[in-house]
Amino acid sequence: MAAKVVVIGSGAREHALVRALLQGAAVGEPRELVCVPGNPGIAREARCVQPRGNDAQALADAALAESPSLVIVGPEAPLADGLADRLTAERVPCFGPSAKAARIEASKAFAKEIMREAGVAAAEAVLFDERDAARAHARSQKHGCVVKLDGLAAGKGVVVCDDAAQAVAAVDELWRPGARLLVEERLSGPELSVIALCDGETLIALPPARDHKRLLDLDRGPNTGGMGAVSPPSDAPPALVESILETVLRPTARALAERKMPFVGALYAGLMMTPQGPRVLEFNCRLGDPEAQAILLRLRSDPLPLFLAAAQGRLTGQRPVWDSRTAVAVVLAAHGYPGHPRALDEIAGLDTLREVEGEDLWILHAGTRLHDGKLVTSGGRVLTVAALGAGPSQARARAYGAIARLGFRGMQFRQDIAAREA
Ligand code: AMP
Ligand code: GLY
């Protein structure tokens, strides 16, 4: 009987997972792919199932109804709400952490506590549960700071401030009753995402990637969920990744295991390369988006045995094979993103691009839907175009060449993804 894999999510990261699992079928065992809920792009490649709702219970019900051999969870929210716990209770292997371990992302305060325990170097922060105290502290931050909401905010709970006035304004903007805020030292340097597959005990680092968080070229404009990624960045040699694995990811996984909340899934460290060395800005409990689109495009071995081994505590001995070329992923976002993305703009050009898609060019759907028989925008990040090239400039040329053939009204994208890579 073919293995049945259920992928949970509806973004370009999940589309990339489905693509990689399909490509893996060419070298691995036969498989059936189901996506809950998926999107119109994924629906061309896997069966999509609509759950009753989008909460963890409804997603778990839909996944369990398939009697899957493996469930891979893309986004953080259902993990924080116990989706993996429910699947584990039903003895279904799940790639994704328990609600307890997912707090490494869901609570920045918890993440700081674990890092302190594990001796991991992170940005210094002070935690506030009163607005006035947070404001007073913000007022003393003359040289800038970063104000963060302690909770899941889809990449929008962070304001980087240049001076005290901006810091006070950020406290007022992010504050809500019952909230906790962190006021963090503002670091500088290039950012890097290092993600490890983790089975609770054993870790395997994926190739490094660099996200481009700001909306506009030259890292201007507001923070977003991510506007593009490159893997590998030219300043992240294997020795750096290895040292981040040893000094950041392994100690963090060990601290979680010691607290009886072993981490299973993708443990993601968002780092800043400061003059004093790498510092953790955040942990995520899942693959990054758009990092996953770039990283998975480089996977040359079958992801199915790898993700299943992680879910079943058998990662030791797994050896994923990576393409040595560079992958560049560019996000195409809707008009109004990241504030109020506009829906219903018709998307043109996808049909002609389908002929040139293959193992080195992926056009991945996220916020798209069918409306009156036409494909239209229906979310902030609409598509990701990911391409491989011998180096960053060739990968960029391929990705932007494909983008030139695509379009919708109000389409926003950065022209400079990977532009500063050597
Ligand atoms: P986070 O969600 O915590 O990763 O923050 C989102 C983005 O805000 C990061 O990718 C950085 O670009 C920026 N950021 C977060 N923390 C800091 C910090 N301590 N210093 C400078 N920039 C930061
Ligand atoms: N690209 C950053 C994230 O997935 O949170």
Side-chain angles (χ1 to χ4, degrees):
M1 210 174 63
K4 194 192 235 187
V5 184
V6 172
V7 174
I8 306 274
S10 62
R13 167 184 52 205
E14 289 74 23
H15 197 171
L17 281 164
V18 166
R19 264 306 155 85
L21 286 160
L22 278 175
Q23 285 184 190
V27 291
E29 61 174 308
R31 66 207 56 185
E32 185 186 342
L33 297 180
V34 179
C35 194
V36 181
N39 62 40
I42 296 175
R44 302 179 70 98
E45 297 159 41
R47 185 159 55 82
C48 289
V49 171
Q50 300 311 306
R52 263 182 305 104
N54 56 9
D55 56 294
Q57 284 304 337
L59 294 169
D61 289 342
L64 288 166
E66 299 293 330
S67 305
S69 349
L70 171 66
V71 177
I72 301 175
V73 185
E76 62 279 14
L79 291 166
D81 285 341
L83 175 52
D85 304 80
R86 170 94 189 279
L87 296 172
T88 305
E90 304 282 346
R91 302 188 180 285
V92 170
C94 176
F95 181 85
S98 67
K100 277 185 175 166
R103 286 187 72 214
I104 196 81
E105 170 167 4
S107 165
K108 290 179 188 291
F110 175 76
K112 294 274 183 211
E113 200 179 301
I114 293 289
M115 283 190 274
R116 216 167 295 132
E117 227 168 87
V120 169
E124 294 293 332
V126 186
L127 179 66
F128 295 96
D129 50 19
E130 282 174 21
R131 174 166 40 184
D132 289 344
R135 283 178 122 234
H137 185 72
R139 211 172 289 120
S140 72
Q141 303 296 303
K142 304 272 183 286
H143 304 293
C145 64
V146 183
V147 182
K148 300 186 176 185
L149 184 65
D150 180 39
L152 291 182
K156 288 160 201 156
V158 173
V159 183
V160 180
C161 309
D162 294 326
D163 54 38
Q166 284 183 10
V168 172
V171 168
D172 289 342
E173 179 195 327
L174 293 179
W175 185 264
R176 55 214 61 182
R180 297 200 295 176
L181 292 183
L182 283 98
V183 179
E184 191 166 281
E185 72 174 313
R186 180 175 174 177
L187 303 173
S188 59
E191 288 185 51
L192 185 66
S193 306
V194 182
I195 304 171
L197 303 183
C198 191
D199 68 0
E201 199 178 314
T202 301
L203 283 80
I204 295 179
L206 303 181
R210 170 161 296 135
D211 190 5
H212 295 62
K213 283 257 168 73
R214 302 292 190 104
L215 180 69
L216 305 174
D217 286 5
L218 300 172
D219 295 328
R220 301 217 174 102
N223 261 325
T224 69
M227 294 298 292
V230 57
S231 173
S234 44
D235 55 356
L240 176 66
V241 176
E242 187 58 32
S243 98
I244 289 166
L245 182 65
E246 295 306 328
T247 60
V248 173
L249 291 159
R250 268 196 227 289
T252 301
R254 206 176 301 127
L256 288 168
E258 276 166 12
R259 286 199 182 199
K260 305 271 180 292
M261 40 182 95
F263 190 97
V264 174
L267 183 59
Y268 165 133
L271 303 137
M272 195 164 259
M273 303 296 117
T274 76
Q276 288 74 39
R279 296 285 180 271
V280 174
L281 300 182
E282 63 163 349
F283 275 108
N284 291 326
C285 66
R286 52 176 172 82
L287 294 171
D289 182 343
E291 289 95 324
Q293 293 90 302
I295 293 169
L296 290 170
L297 184 62
R298 298 182 55 207
L299 184 59
R300 284 293 156 263
S301 49
D302 184 1
L304 175 51
L306 183 67
F307 283 70
L308 186 61
Q312 294 180 323
R314 304 184 284 104
L315 260 187
T316 310
Q318 287 289 325
R319 300 259 180 282
V321 179
W322 302 101
D323 199 309
S324 60
R325 289 177 292 171
T326 301
V328 168
V330 182
V331 170
L332 309 181
H335 175 82
Y337 179 76
H340 300 283
R342 186 172 66 199
L344 296 178
D345 286 315
E346 188 177 344
I347 303 166
L350 287 170
D351 286 335
T352 59
L353 275 174
R354 210 159 283 127
E355 294 148 29
V356 293
E357 272 192 85
E359 288 203 351
D360 52 13
L361 177 69
W362 285 354
I363 315 287
L364 304 166
H365 288 232
T368 68
R369 76 180 161 96
L370 286 166
H371 179 79
D372 290 341
K374 291 181 179 139
L375 193 74
V376 298
T377 62
S378 76
R381 293 189 287 180
V382 178
L383 298 164
T384 298
V385 175
L388 278 174
S393 60
Q394 196 185 70
R396 272 171 53 75
R398 284 203 177 135
Y400 284 107
I403 290 170
R405 299 166 65 182
L406 277 173
F408 49 87
R409 210 160 60 94
M411 179 166 97
Q412 309 187 72
F413 63 97
R414 280 179 60 159
Q415 308 273 357
D416 67 343
I417 303 302
R420 275 164 292 166
E421 305 297 328

